[in-house]
Amino acid sequence: MLIAFPFLGFQLTLEENVKASKTIKPEDFPSREKEVEELIKELTAYLKNNPRDGLAFKRLGELYTKAGRLSEAVSSYIAAAEILPKDPQIRRAFIQLQAMGHTTSNQ
């Protein structure tokens, strides 16, 4: 069976697809949880030397939210909001955290 994707400029056969899926093992993919925790560690270390990087604080807030560490997410977003007071993504993040049941008196 031939599956053609003319707009993408390549073709796949069903047999090639099956062969490819057999070569991929679950251990080939790092755990998303471990990946997020590693990124949190790296970003935290970066922020120790770059405490005025609002975008990094915003990204850290996103990672803490993914990890379910909501209090830390709020703290990161508060730091980001002090540096980037008009950033609409930070405001949306506070709304999202509130919808998840976490509130803060600062926002």
Side-chain angles (χ1 to χ4, degrees), residues 2 12 35 43-44 83:
L2 178 66
L12 293 176
E35 186 178 300
L43 205 46
T44 301
I83 300 165

Side-chain angles (χ1 to χ4, degrees), residues 66-81:
K66 283 184 183 180
R69 297 164 61 177
L70 303 184
S71 293
E72 291 160 299
V74 169
S75 296
S76 295
Y77 282 122
I78 289 171

Side-chain angles (χ1 to χ4, degrees), residues 56-66 72-74 76-77:
F57 274 111
K58 184 167 71 170
R59 177 69 177 132
L60 186 59
E62 293 168 4
L63 292 169
Y64 278 138
T65 302
K66 283 184 183 180
E72 291 160 299
V74 169
S76 295
Y77 282 122

Side-chain angles (χ1 to χ4, degrees), residues 24-87:
I24 298 172
K25 301 174 191 110
E27 58 269 17
D28 293 336
F29 296 97
S31 165
R32 296 291 291 163
E33 187 175 311
K34 287 182 185 177
E35 186 178 300
V36 169
E37 289 300 325
E38 282 299 314
L39 289 171
I40 287 171
K41 286 179 187 177
E42 290 174 14
L43 205 46
T44 301
Y46 168 80
L47 283 166
K48 286 181 183 178
N49 296 320
N50 301 281
R52 298 296 305 160
D53 189 339
L55 294 176
F57 274 111
K58 184 167 71 170
R59 177 69 177 132
L60 186 59
E62 293 168 4
L63 292 169
Y64 278 138
T65 302
K66 283 184 183 180
R69 297 164 61 177
L70 303 184
S71 293
E72 291 160 299
V74 169
S75 296
S76 295
Y77 282 122
I78 289 171
E82 289 175 3
I83 300 165
L84 306 167
K86 296 184 180 186
D87 189 309

